[in-house]
Amino acid sequence: MRDGVPLKSLMAAVDLALHSPDIFPQPVMIAAIRAMEGLTPLPRMFMRTVIQALKAAPRLRTDIAQLLER
């Protein structure tokens, strides 16, 4: 549970957002991942979100690979 929200609900919300390109387009997706990457500590669902983003938008592979190399 995170801030009173069950983890499964958080995962479902992230999945819905990532698979709604008209609401959450790729530039917004990579900006959100970059913002999360700068947090200390990394958010609990960071890697899961990155993996789900890559599944939803494979063209982000280069951007995410560069981000993770840091």
Side-chain angles (χ1 to χ4, degrees), residues 16 19 28 30 37 69:
L16 180 63
H19 289 90
V28 173
I30 195 66
E37 186 264 339
E69 285 178 351

Side-chain angles (χ1 to χ4, degrees), residues 5-52:
V5 180
L7 192 56
K8 286 194 178 232
S9 295
L10 288 173
M11 291 187 315
V14 169
D15 289 344
L16 180 63
L18 292 176
H19 289 90
S20 301
D22 51 323
I23 298 170
F24 201 55
Q26 290 182 19
V28 173
M29 202 181 299
I30 195 66
I33 291 170
R34 284 187 179 128
M36 286 188 286
E37 186 264 339
L39 298 174
T40 303
L42 285 174
R44 182 177 186 180
M45 291 181 39
F46 177 74
M47 282 308 297
R48 185 183 191 287
T49 301
V50 168
I51 292 166
Q52 292 302 106

